Amino acid sequence: MCTLIVRTGRPLTLMGVRDESADRPWEGPGEHWPEYPGVIGGRDLKGGGTWLAVNPPARRAAALLNGRGKEAEETTRISRGDLALRAAYTGETPGGDLTRYDPFHLVLAEPARIRLFSWDGERLSASDLPEGTSMIVNTGLDPESERVAAYLPRFETEPWGELIKAEPSADPAALIVRHELPDGRIFASLSVMEVTLAPDGVTYDFADLTADRDG
């Protein structure tokens, strides 16, 4: 996933925009993982994990974004897709041998608290997200990001559902992206998932952005 928007309060609201190669197979939200009963998320069919996991019984969610830094050794690297699943299921911080993962940002959200964990390939940092509206991108909580500069003020004042209707663009500041890679493949925003966590329940709304587009 490339962009996560978070708004604190009641309810706590998260919206994840997943950007990926259009030919990478995936499927929409469901309880796809017997080892994580009750956890819902879209499944990446290549890595087996998810980018945004929701645990309704626990009123908890976890979102994963690729990070920047030192990549894991190819011989020992494992998919980052299990990180959001484990966090949503257990509520625990990332643990174990993190050197097996490429850099990542992991957001762990509960109604009373939302935390950001960032692994750069060498060290793990942790912080609580500030009150209000935040945007996390591949460079973390980065006010210098063109996307954050363009869209954070809009997410603070405009309906979120309208903002994701933007026309796909190759502009670095675009929220909904689509461009051709050097090898001819298409890299695009494939889906959007919005999650609300409230003391009395959890809701989620999933939009497949590929439904009316070619590849």
Side-chain angles (χ1 to χ4, degrees):
M1 189 164 62
C2 286
T3 307
L4 181 73
I5 305 96
V6 178
R7 181 171 58 214
T8 61
R10 294 182 178 233
L12 172 66
T13 307
L14 305 91
M15 176 180 278
V17 181
R18 185 184 185 225
D19 302 342
E20 185 55 87
S21 296
D23 60 355
R24 185 170 177 131
W26 60 282
E27 58 185 338
E31 293 186 45
H32 300 296
W33 304 273
E35 64 272 36
Y36 300 110
V39 175
I40 297 167
R43 181 166 61 168
D44 173 53
L45 295 178
K46 183 176 180 181
T50 191
W51 52 96
L52 179 52
V54 187
N55 185 345
R59 297 195 297 278
R60 185 186 301 126
L64 177 75
L65 297 89
N66 295 346
R68 299 283 188 267
K70 181 181 178 182
E71 294 187 349
E73 295 291 336
E74 188 172 350
T75 55
T76 58
R77 178 185 294 128
I78 56 177
S79 172
R80 292 167 286 195
D82 71 318
L83 290 164
L85 291 168
R86 286 195 284 115
Y89 184 65
T90 66
E92 297 174 359
T93 61
D97 183 9
L98 295 182
T99 63
R100 301 181 69 191
Y101 295 104
D102 283 340
F104 63 81
H105 303 288
L106 179 71
V107 172
L108 179 57
E110 297 171 297
R113 188 181 188 189
I114 183 161
R115 289 170 286 171
L116 170 65
F117 303 93
S118 296
W119 168 251
D120 66 3
E122 297 179 298
R123 60 188 64 84
L124 180 71
S125 62
S127 62
D128 285 359
L129 287 187
E131 293 294 316
T133 303
S134 301
M135 281 183 73
I136 301 97
V137 292
N138 294 140
T139 48
L141 276 173
D142 180 7
E144 301 302 316
S145 160
E146 294 178 77
R147 183 175 297 176
V148 173
Y151 271 92
L152 180 55
R154 300 186 65 184
F155 275 104
E156 291 173 332
T157 59
E158 300 180 35
W160 289 15
E162 294 302 311
L163 295 177
I164 64 170
K165 295 178 182 178
E167 194 67 23
S169 170
D171 189 324
L175 177 69
I176 306 301
V177 306
R178 183 178 176 87
H179 61 88
E180 185 172 331
L181 300 173
D183 60 7
R185 292 180 299 143
I186 298 298
F187 184 83
S189 299
L190 304 183
S191 65
V192 177
M193 189 167 175
E194 183 172 347
V195 178
T196 61
L197 304 178
D200 59 349
V202 173
T203 63
Y204 70 90
D205 184 41
F206 182 81
D208 179 355
L209 301 184
T210 71
D212 297 318
R213 298 181 199 159
D214 269 341

